[in-house]
Amino acid sequence: MAADGSERHTAQVVGADGEMDGPALERFAAAAGLVQRGLSYAVVSIFGPQGSGKSTLLNHLFGTSFTEMDALKGRNQTTKGIWVAEAVGIEPFTLVMDLEGTDGRERGEDDTAFEKQSALFALAVSDIVMINLWCHDIGREQAANRPLLKTIFEVLMRLFSPRKTMLLLVIRDKTKTPVEYLAQALKEDIHKIWDSVPKPEVFKKAALSEFFNVEVTALPSYEENEELFKEQVGKLRHKFIHSIDPGGLAADRRGVIPASGFCISAMHIWKVIRENKDLNLPAHKIMVATVRCEEIADEKLRCFMLDEGWLELEAAVTSGPVRSFGMKLSDIIDFYLLDYDMETMYFDEGVRTVKRQQLQSEIVNHTHPAFETVIEHLHCTVLGKFKNDLEQLLRSGERFAASARHCAQSSSVEFEAGWRDAVVKHADWDGTNSRNKLQQSMEVHTACLRIAKLDELKATYKKKLLDALSGPVQSILETGERDSWASIRRLYRRETEHIILTFSDSLSEYELDQTTSVEMVLELREHARCTVVKKAREEAGNILIRMKGRFSTVLSHDKDLMPRTWIANEDIHAITREARLAALRLMSVMAAVRLDDKPDKIDRALMVSLLDGGPLCWKRSIEFTSDPLASTTWQEVSPQDTLITPVQCKSIWRQFKAETEYPVAQAILMQEAHRRSNNSLPPAWTILVLAILGFNEFMFLLRNPVYILGLFLAFVLSYAVWLQYDIWAYFRHGTVSGLITISSSLLPTIMDIVTAIINMSHRKKHSLHRSRRALPYHAQSLSNQSHQHAEVHYHASPDTPSSVDSSSGSDS
C-alpha cells in the first residue's frame, strides 16, 4: 500500500535465471488496469551500475515499492532480473521497470550477456530510459558509465526500426560543479561513444538525434543530504506528468503498442532476445496487432453469440416472420464491430481491418441460417398471397394470363421489399437463388392452376356439347327417317362449331401457344364426335325394342296417329309391310355412324336381303353378287363407325319377325270378327218370308198376354246374363269350351239375379212403411233414400266382372 492508502502493484516479470514470467506480467497488467489504457500509457525503465540507487530513485520518483539496498549490510545485488510497477499519482498511466544493475560481481562473466539482453528489452518497450550515472565518472575515459552507454548503442543496432526514445541521464551524488558543465561533458562523451559504435550500412550516417532525445539532470547524494534529494526528485517527478503530451518527455515516441497488447509484445520481444535474434520491431508490431486483434475478435464473436438481443431475434425467427430483421440484426452487429474498433483502434490499421473483416464475416456466417429462415417465411408469405390474389382475380372474372402476370409482378415487388427488410448491410448475400425459387414456385402454381382451369373449362364445354347433342341426336335417331344422319350432321356441325368458337375465345385469356390451342380444340371436336357415336351406340343397343315400338306404332295407328280400327277394307298385308319397312329403316339408321357424309349401301342391302324376299332378290340384284348380310363389316363403312354388323342385323331381324307375328295375327282376327259382326242380320227376303209364314203365331201371342209376359221375362233374364258375360271372348277359343263355361256359371247367375230382385222388393216395402211415420219436411230426404235403395247389385261369378250397377226403371 502507498502512503496515501492506494494499492501498489509490483511484479517480477523476468527472474534471475533470465526466464520471463508471462502469467505474472498478465496478472499485473489486469490488476493495474493497463489493458484498458489504449495508447494512453508510458513505459519508463532505468539502467545503472549495481548499487547506484536505482530502486531508491524510482521509489521516491514514482511512489513504487521496489526493494532497496541496505547499506548497513554491505553493497551487494538487490534487484534481480526485471521488476515492473505502476507509478502512483501520475497521469497518464506509467509503467516503471527496474532492471538488474550492471557490472555486478554476482553474475560474473554472464553479466555482459544479461546486461545486453535487458538493455535491448528496455529500448524495445520503453518510452523513457533513465541512466543512473556517478558524477565522479563524468569526463573519465575508463569510467563505469562508458561501457553502459556503449552497450545501449550497440543493442540499438539490433532493432530493425529503432524507436525514438527519451534518454534521461541522471547524475547521482552531484558535486559543486555546475550541472551545465556536467551536461556538456556528458553529451560530448555520448556522441563519441555513438560515433565509435559500429553501425549497419543503413545507419552509417545516422545522427544520434534520430533515435534519442537526450536530457541531463543531477541529484544530490541521498545518504548525505536526504531532504535535498527528495526535493530535487519532487521537481523531477513533474516532468513525468503528462509525459506523452506535446512537449512532454515522451512526446516524440513512435511505434507504440496499444496497452491491451503490451503483455503479448513484451513476452514475444523477450523470447526473441533470449534466442539471440535480431528484433524486427515493425514485424513485431504486426505480430502483436495480429494476435491481439484475433483475441479481441474472438471475444466479440463469443459475446455476439451470447447476446440476448440476438438470441431473442433468432428464437423469434423460428416461430414466424420478423419485421425489420435486417435492421435489428445490423444494429447488434454494429454494436460489436464498434466495440471491436474501440479496442483495436491503436493497433496496426491493416491488421485490425483484416481482422475486423474476418469478425464481420464470421458473425454474418453465424447469422445466415436465421436469415435463410426469414427468407423461407417471406417466400411462404409471398407465395400464399400470390395464390390468394390470383384466385380472387379469377373469381372476379379477370383474364387468367393477365391476372397471373399482375400477381407475379406484385409478388416480386413484395419479395424484394421483404428481402431488403431482412438483409443485413454487412453481408453481400446474393438473392438470385431465392428469387428464382419464388419465381419457379409461382410458375409451378400458375401451371397447375392453368391445368385445373383448363380441365374445368374443357369439362364445361364438353357438358355443353353433351347437352346440345345427346338429346337431339337421340330424338333424330328415334325417328328413323332416311335423312336422320343428314340432320345429325347438320346438328353436329352447327353446335360443334358454335361451341368451339366460344371455347377458342375462352382459351385466348390463357395465352396458350398455337400447338396447345389446336390440340385442345381438336380434343373438344373429337369429344363432340364421341358424344354422337356414344349416343348412337346406346340407341343401337336398344334397336330391337325400338324396331318393335316403331312396328307397333305404324301397325296400330293410321297416318293421323289415330288408333286403327280393323274394318273389312283395311289391307293388313300392306300395313304390315309398311310397319316392317319403318322398323327396317330404323335398323338401317342405327347400323352405322355417318358423320362423314360418305355414301353407303346399308339401306339397300337390308331391303334386298330382309324385306324383298331374301336370296331370290339379291340374286336378281345387280348390286350384290352374294348375300350382303353374310359379313361382319359393311361396304364403304369403317369398323369403328359400325354400330350393328350385317350378321347382327340378320339375327335381330329374325327375332323381330318372330316377336311381331302375334300383333299381325290379332289384327287379322279382329278384322274377321268385325266382318262377322256386320253380317249377323239375315237378308230382307228372309225377313219377309218369316213375316208371312209367322203371322198366325204372332196373332196367337197377341190373343194370349201370358205368353208375351213370359217372353219378356226371358228377354230380361237373357239380357242380364249377356251383360255379365263376355260371350264373344268365351267362344273365341271354341264353341264347346264357350258352352261349357256359360252353362257352368248360368245357374248361379240366375239365382243371384232373383235374390237381388227379392231384396229390392223387401227394401222398397220397408222404406214405404218408414215414410208414413216421417215428418212432412222429410219428404225430399225420403225420396232420395228410396232412389238409392232402388239400385240393384248383381254379384257375378269368379269368371265374370265383379259387379254391374243399374237403376230400376220402374221407380221412375
Side-chain angles (χ1 to χ4, degrees):
M1 300 293 292
D4 59 358
S6 60
E7 184 178 359
R8 293 175 178 175
H9 303 283
T10 305
Q12 184 181 24
V13 296
V14 177
D17 57 356
E19 295 297 329
M20 175 168 278
D21 189 353
L25 178 60
E26 291 176 346
R27 287 193 299 270
F28 165 80
L34 173 63
V35 178
Q36 292 81 20
R37 294 291 180 169
L39 296 180
S40 182
Y41 77 100
V43 180
V44 179
S45 60
I46 189 168
F47 286 118
Q50 180 177 307
S52 61
K54 300 186 301 301
S55 300
T56 302
L57 175 60
L58 294 177
N59 289 339
H60 286 84
L61 184 60
F62 298 108
T64 56
S65 57
F66 294 119
T67 304
E68 300 178 10
M69 183 186 72
D70 189 354
L72 298 178
K73 294 181 180 180
R75 304 189 68 83
N76 53 15
Q77 188 179 46
T78 304
T79 303
K80 296 180 180 181
I82 301 175
W83 289 71
V84 295
E86 175 189 359
V88 178
I90 294 181
E91 286 295 333
F93 181 96
T94 300
L95 187 147
V96 181
M97 296 178 56
D98 188 8
L99 279 64
E100 181 180 319
T102 61
D103 198 21
R105 61 184 174 83
E106 284 80 5
R107 286 194 179 271
E109 296 180 357
D110 293 335
D111 179 67
T112 304
F114 186 79
E115 177 183 324
K116 290 184 178 181
Q117 291 174 354
S118 59
L120 182 57
F121 179 74
L123 287 174
V125 301
S126 300
D127 301 308
I128 303 171
V129 177
M130 299 172 62
I131 302 177
N132 227 14
L133 300 174
W134 295 113
C135 181
H136 57 76
D137 283 339
I138 297 175
R140 297 168 57 186
E141 186 67 26
Q142 299 298 325
N145 58 3
R146 294 184 69 87
L148 177 60
L149 292 172
K150 187 175 181 180
T151 298
I152 291 174
F153 295 152
E154 285 177 350
V155 298
L156 181 66
M157 298 299 102
R158 295 180 59 186
L159 301 177
F160 283 105
S161 178
R163 304 173 61 181
K164 189 162 187 179
T165 307
M166 168 56 69
L167 199 61
L168 181 60
L169 305 177
V170 181
I171 302 173
R172 301 296 299 272
D173 297 348
K174 182 183 70 168
T175 62
K176 293 181 180 181
T177 305
V179 176
E180 293 78 7
Y181 294 112
L182 296 175
Q184 182 66 30
L186 190 57
K187 288 181 179 181
E188 290 177 357
D189 290 342
I190 289 174
H191 281 89
K192 289 180 181 180
I193 296 171
W194 173 258
D195 293 337
S196 65
V197 171
K199 304 178 186 66
E201 188 66 29
V202 67
F203 298 136
K204 277 288 186 183
K205 298 180 180 181
L208 178 65
S209 59
E210 294 183 21
F211 303 103
F212 294 101
N213 290 324
V214 181
E215 284 194 16
V216 180
T217 187
L219 296 173
S221 174
Y222 174 72
E223 295 178 354
E224 295 177 0
N225 196 347
E226 183 177 350
E227 292 300 327
L228 183 59
F229 175 83
K230 291 181 179 179
E231 181 183 348
Q232 294 296 324
V233 168
K235 293 180 180 180
L236 180 60
R237 175 182 173 88
H238 287 290
K239 292 186 177 182
F240 288 92
I241 297 175
H242 303 299
S243 60
I244 63 174
D245 291 347
L249 291 176
D252 295 337
R253 64 179 183 169
R254 298 192 297 260
V256 183
I257 298 295
S260 60
F262 178 80
C263 295
I264 298 174
S265 174
M267 287 186 287
H268 183 265
I269 288 173
W270 186 253
K271 179 182 177 182
V272 173
I273 292 172
R274 290 287 288 176
E275 293 174 356
N276 199 24
K277 296 179 179 178
D278 291 339
L279 185 60
N280 188 341
L281 287 184
H284 170 74
K285 183 180 178 181
I286 297 298
M287 182 278 300
V288 173
T290 301
V291 173
R292 187 60 188 143
C293 289
E294 283 182 355
E295 291 178 351
I296 296 174
D298 292 341
E299 179 187 359
K300 300 311 171 187
L301 180 60
R302 287 192 299 270
C303 292
F304 171 81
M305 291 180 179
L306 299 176
D307 184 83
E308 292 183 359
W310 158 244
L311 294 177
E312 291 176 359
L313 192 61
E314 187 179 27
V317 164
T318 59
S319 60
V322 177
R323 298 185 65 84
S324 302
F325 173 84
M327 183 181 67
K328 295 176 181 178
L329 182 55
S330 295
D331 290 343
I332 298 174
I333 296 176
D334 281 339
F335 173 80
Y336 287 100
L337 290 180
L338 181 61
D339 203 10
Y340 169 86
D341 292 337
M342 294 297 295
E343 293 191 24
T344 61
M345 62 185 299
Y346 302 114
F347 290 104
D348 182 79
E349 182 179 0
V351 174
R352 73 170 185 261
T353 301
V354 171
K355 297 304 177 183
R356 188 185 194 277
Q357 293 174 351
Q358 291 178 359
L359 172 62
Q360 177 176 308
S361 177
E362 291 178 357
I363 292 177
V364 167
N365 291 337
H366 181 72
T367 60
H368 189 257
F371 172 77
E372 287 185 336
T373 304
V374 172
I375 297 303
E376 284 296 327
H377 290 312
L378 177 64
H379 174 90
C380 295
T381 301
V382 173
L383 183 60
K385 187 175 184 301
F386 168 79
K387 294 178 180 179
N388 293 335
D389 292 347
L390 181 56
E391 191 67 27
Q392 290 178 2
L393 286 177
L394 294 180
R395 287 178 181 175
S396 63
E398 298 294 332
R399 298 175 70 84
F400 183 88
S403 300
R405 278 196 304 271
H406 173 74
C407 292
Q409 292 173 355
S410 301
S411 298
S412 298
V413 171
E414 183 178 358
F415 182 82
E416 288 299 327
W419 174 272
R420 290 191 297 271
D421 182 70
V423 75
V424 180
K425 65 181 181 180
H426 309 87
D428 56 349
W429 291 324
D430 185 12
T432 303
N433 292 337
S434 299
R435 295 184 186 92
N436 292 340
K437 181 179 178 182
L438 176 64
Q439 188 67 29
Q440 184 178 4
S441 298
M442 291 191 296
E443 290 176 356
V444 169
H445 176 74
T446 302
C448 293
L449 187 59
R450 182 187 293 110
I451 293 173
K453 292 294 183 181
L454 289 176
D455 290 342
E456 182 180 345
L457 185 67
K458 288 190 292 185
T460 300
Y461 279 92
K462 284 180 179 179
K463 187 176 184 305
K464 288 183 179 181
L465 279 173
L466 182 64
D467 295 340
L469 296 176
S470 182
V473 167
Q474 180 178 351
S475 300
I476 294 173
L477 290 176
E478 287 176 353
T479 61
E481 300 297 334
R482 289 181 180 273
D483 61 344
S484 294
W485 279 107
S487 301
I488 290 174
R489 284 193 295 271
R490 288 192 296 271
L491 172 70
Y492 165 75
R493 291 166 183 168
R494 182 180 68 252
E495 296 296 335
T496 301
E497 293 303 325
H498 172 69
I499 291 177
I500 284 179
L501 182 63
T502 309
F503 178 70
S504 299
D505 184 60
S506 300
L507 284 181
S508 63
E509 70 172 275
Y510 295 91
E511 298 181 4
L512 302 175
D513 57 89
Q514 186 67 24
T515 303
T516 305
S517 299
V518 171
E519 289 177 354
M520 295 184 69
V521 169
L522 291 177
E523 180 183 355
L524 190 63
R525 192 180 297 277
E526 182 63 24
H527 176 75
R529 181 182 180 88
C530 292
T531 299
V532 175
V533 173
K534 181 180 178 181
K535 181 54 63 175
R537 290 191 184 279
E538 290 178 1
E539 294 300 317
N542 300 323
I543 184 59
L544 183 60
I545 298 175
R546 299 292 187 192
M547 290 173 65
K548 288 164 61 177
R550 177 60 55 85
F551 177 84
S552 176
T553 300
V554 176
L555 183 67
S556 59
H557 294 78
D558 57 17
K559 295 181 179 180
D560 297 328
L561 299 180
M562 297 297 294
R564 194 186 297 276
T565 303
W566 295 108
I567 58 179
N569 60 348
E570 292 286 353
D571 188 354
I572 294 180
H573 179 73
I575 294 173
T576 301
R577 178 179 174 80
E578 182 182 356
R580 288 178 176 172
L581 179 60
L584 192 62
R585 285 175 179 169
L586 185 61
M587 179 188 285
S588 173
V589 171
M590 300 288 189
V593 176
R594 301 177 178 88
L595 287 177
D596 297 331
D597 198 14
K598 294 180 180 179
D600 58 68
K601 300 179 181 179
I602 296 177
D603 186 69
R604 182 58 181 163
L606 293 175
M607 294 295 178
V608 170
S609 299
L610 302 179
L611 193 64
D612 293 340
L616 292 177
C617 291
W618 59 257
K619 286 181 179 179
R620 291 193 298 268
S621 174
I622 60 175
E623 297 179 74
F624 306 104
T625 57
S626 61
D627 186 359
L629 301 185
S631 175
T632 57
T633 58
W634 298 104
Q635 294 182 11
E636 300 177 354
V637 177
S638 63
Q640 58 267 25
D641 289 338
T642 301
L643 301 178
I644 307 174
T645 63
V647 174
Q648 291 174 337
C649 288
K650 203 169 188 178
S651 175
I652 292 171
W653 183 256
R654 284 197 299 266
Q655 186 176 355
F656 166 76
K657 289 187 67 176
E659 294 182 7
T660 55
E661 289 294 336
Y662 181 74
V664 176
Q666 287 291 99
I668 294 173
L669 289 176
M670 291 176 67
Q671 189 180 50
E672 291 297 329
H674 188 272
R675 185 180 291 113
R676 287 197 301 269
S677 64
N678 288 339
N679 296 332
S680 59
L681 294 177
W685 63 270
T686 307
I687 296 174
L688 180 62
V689 170
L690 289 175
I692 295 173
L693 296 178
F695 180 77
N696 293 332
E697 289 76 7
F698 178 71
M699 294 302 295
F700 176 77
L701 293 175
L702 291 177
R703 295 188 183 98
N704 296 281
V706 176
Y707 289 103
I708 295 175
L709 180 60
L711 291 173
F712 177 74
L713 292 175
F715 172 75
V716 171
L717 184 62
S718 300
Y719 184 72
V721 173
W722 176 268
L723 293 177
Q724 293 293 322
Y725 297 102
D726 187 2
I727 303 299
W728 294 112
Y730 291 157
F731 283 95
R732 184 178 300 162
H733 302 290
T735 303
V736 177
S737 65
L739 292 175
I740 293 174
T741 302
I742 293 174
S743 61
S744 62
S745 57
L746 181 61
L747 183 59
T749 302
I750 294 174
M751 293 298 296
D752 291 339
I753 294 173
V754 173
T755 302
I757 294 173
I758 295 173
N759 291 336
M760 181 182 67
S761 176
H762 177 72
R763 286 195 299 271
K764 184 175 181 181
K765 290 179 180 181
H766 180 68
S767 62
L768 290 175
H769 176 69
R770 287 196 308 169
S771 66
R772 293 191 185 98
R773 293 180 297 173
L775 294 176
Y777 61 83
H778 290 157
Q780 182 63 32
S781 175
L782 182 62
S783 175
N784 293 337
Q785 292 178 3
S786 300
H787 178 72
Q788 292 175 359
H789 285 294
E791 295 180 356
V792 178
H793 299 279
Y794 295 96
H795 300 283
S797 65
D799 297 331
T800 62
S802 59
S803 64
V804 177
D805 295 339
S806 62
S807 301
S808 174
S810 60
D811 292 340
S812 60

